[in-house]
Amino acid sequence: MKRKRLLWMFTGFIMLSILLTGCGTNKSNIKNTSVIELLNVSYDPTREFYAAYNELFREHWKETSGQDIKITQSHGGSGSQARSVIEGNEADVVTLALAHDVTAIEEAGLIESGWMGEFDLDSSPYTSTIVFLVRKGNEKNIKDWYDLIKDGVEVITPNPKTSGGACWNFLAAWAYFQEQDGGDETATKEYMKKLYQNVLVLDSGARGATNTFVENKQGDVLIAWENEAYLSMKEYPDAYEIITPSVSILAQPSVAVVDNNVKEHGTEEAAAAYLEYLYSDEAQRLAGENYYRPSNETILQEFSDQFDLEMNLVTIDDFGGWDAAYQTYFNDGAIFDQIYSE
């Protein structure tokens, strides 16, 4: 692919430069020691993963290019983060919760068309899914989506208008209720209305929702990214339980180079390498260690004791892709607005 060809050309250029300068007497010119700076604008729950990944990539970039690199992270609700880039946040790369948010930046003219084909697996180097996090003992006996619409159950989930994770949550719940009613949209809307009537707090992002549930002790159940639920279990091993619903969704976060910005910054090669290296074995295992599902199927199997790989997962394709899903469910006046206003 284009990025890979660019990276091979760049690597070849670096190696040729090293060979040529090594023949001269000025040893100080062997490596370019200037510092490159990258800004990664990401969504809420990736903080811990990218803090670790940035260290891994710094070592890789130094070894392969001879340059030091400084990587800055920005986090928030995925939809809000996409808007911040459109409005002038000068990201070199975006690593967002869903493809629609990257497409919005493309439509603003900052990312070249065809970005989804720039990297492997539709530019989705890791995946996740949606689970429930409940307090130890599961007092409300929550086992599946239907239990979330019962009277007296307080639900925590973020807002689909600002959070990519919340969109995945909504679609997973919709798929479950559609399955119960044989595709009856009117009945499904009523179930979804009951679900959001039980939502105690509608935070702007996934990490905010986690903090509401875990730190502020509000609600009976958190509809959560799988990795967020595992992080909460890791931090408070005796306080929470993870419940796997009978139907969930394959959540595919997307990555892209912000072409206009990297051209202005002179960081095109580094930005492409930063995203390409997410597919390396080292980075894939790091993703698994941070509770993301590696896209590399062989490495994913190494985490079969950690993840339930037999989950019943629908995909965004079952909703016609993100353009169709947004038009039907999340645009102004679409189904979510109808349900929530009622």
Side-chain angles (χ1 to χ4, degrees), residues 88 90-92 109-110 258-268:
E90 295 190 6
D92 296 280
L110 298 174
V258 185
D259 297 290
N260 276 25
N261 290 349
V262 297
K263 288 173 183 176
E264 290 184 8
H265 301 163
T267 55
E268 190 170 12

Side-chain angles (χ1 to χ4, degrees), residues 25 75 78 118 122 124 215 256:
T25 58
H75 297 274
S78 187
E118 296 288 350
D122 293 331
S124 180
E215 303 295 338

Side-chain angles (χ1 to χ4, degrees), residues 215-261:
E215 303 295 338
N216 299 336
K217 310 297 183 184
Q218 297 187 55
D220 300 305
V221 56
L222 171 69
I223 307 176
W225 287 97
E226 183 179 53
N227 66 291
E228 280 286 89
Y230 273 114
L231 284 173
S232 298
M233 291 277 290
K234 180 180 179 180
E235 189 170 359
Y236 303 100
D238 298 320
Y240 299 99
E241 301 176 24
I242 292 175
I243 305 297
T244 300
S246 63
V247 175
S248 193
I249 193 165
L250 177 66
Q252 296 170 286
S254 297
V255 303
V257 173
V258 185
D259 297 290
N260 276 25
N261 290 349

Side-chain angles (χ1 to χ4, degrees), residues 98-155:
L98 45 87
H100 182 270
D101 292 335
V102 181
T103 299
I105 303 172
E106 175 196 345
E107 291 173 349
L110 298 174
I111 294 176
E112 295 174 2
S113 62
W115 64 267
M116 195 176 286
E118 296 288 350
F119 301 100
D120 288 342
L121 303 171
D122 293 331
S123 292
S124 180
Y126 43 82
T127 67
S128 190
T129 188
I130 303 304
V131 298
F132 305 152
L133 187 69
V134 300
R135 306 190 192 284
K136 198 73 172 180
N138 193 11
E139 182 179 342
K140 297 294 177 73
N141 195 30
I142 293 167
K143 297 180 180 178
D144 214 336
W145 292 101
Y146 193 82
D147 298 311
L148 273 56
I149 67 173
K150 293 179 178 177
D151 292 341
V153 174
E154 295 181 339
V155 178

Side-chain angles (χ1 to χ4, degrees), residues 57-305:
F57 181 74
R58 282 190 189 100
E59 295 177 5
H60 169 73
W61 183 254
K62 180 70 172 180
E63 181 180 342
T64 56
S65 74
Q67 293 175 309
D68 292 316
I69 190 165
K70 177 182 178 182
I71 304 161
T72 303
Q73 296 173 229
S74 171
H75 297 274
S78 187
S80 299
Q81 290 290 80
R83 284 191 289 275
S84 79
V85 175
I86 293 168
E87 293 167 1
N89 190 354
E90 295 190 6
D92 296 280
V93 299
V94 289
T95 55
L96 298 176
L98 45 87
H100 182 270
D101 292 335
V102 181
T103 299
I105 303 172
E106 175 196 345
E107 291 173 349
L110 298 174
I111 294 176
E112 295 174 2
S113 62
W115 64 267
M116 195 176 286
E118 296 288 350
F119 301 100
D120 288 342
L121 303 171
D122 293 331
S123 292
S124 180
Y126 43 82
T127 67
S128 190
T129 188
I130 303 304
V131 298
F132 305 152
L133 187 69
V134 300
R135 306 190 192 284
K136 198 73 172 180
N138 193 11
E139 182 179 342
K140 297 294 177 73
N141 195 30
I142 293 167
K143 297 180 180 178
D144 214 336
W145 292 101
Y146 193 82
D147 298 311
L148 273 56
I149 67 173
K150 293 179 178 177
D151 292 341
V153 174
E154 295 181 339
V155 178
I156 305 297
T157 184
N159 188 344
K161 308 294 278 191
T162 55
S163 165
C167 295
W168 292 114
N169 294 356
F170 182 100
L171 294 177
W174 184 277
Y176 169 84
F177 289 121
Q178 280 271 282
E179 188 176 279
Q180 307 312 301
D181 294 304
D184 184 338
E185 182 173 300
T186 300
T188 300
K189 287 175 72 173
E190 284 302 308
Y191 284 131
M192 295 296 289
K193 180 181 175 181
K194 290 180 181 178
L195 172 60
Y196 280 91
Q197 284 175 337
N198 280 354
V199 173
L200 185 63
V201 178
L202 201 65
D203 285 286
S204 62
R207 181 55 58 88
T210 300
N211 289 339
T212 295
F213 184 74
V214 173
E215 303 295 338
N216 299 336
K217 310 297 183 184
Q218 297 187 55
D220 300 305
V221 56
L222 171 69
I223 307 176
W225 287 97
E226 183 179 53
N227 66 291
E228 280 286 89
Y230 273 114
L231 284 173
S232 298
M233 291 277 290
K234 180 180 179 180
E235 189 170 359
Y236 303 100
D238 298 320
Y240 299 99
E241 301 176 24
I242 292 175
I243 305 297
T244 300
S246 63
V247 175
S248 193
I249 193 165
L250 177 66
Q252 296 170 286
S254 297
V255 303
V257 173
V258 185
D259 297 290
N260 276 25
N261 290 349
V262 297
K263 288 173 183 176
E264 290 184 8
H265 301 163
T267 55
E268 190 170 12
E269 292 87 358
Y274 180 79
L275 297 184
E276 183 67 38
Y277 196 62
L278 285 167
Y279 295 87
S280 68
D281 289 354
E282 295 83 0
Q284 288 285 291
R285 289 192 175 91
L286 186 64
E289 291 164 5
N290 282 270
Y291 308 111
Y292 283 97
R293 297 183 176 216
S295 291
N296 181 314
E297 288 293 331
T298 301
I299 295 177
L300 174 61
Q301 290 300 320
E302 296 177 12
F303 293 88
S304 59
D305 291 340

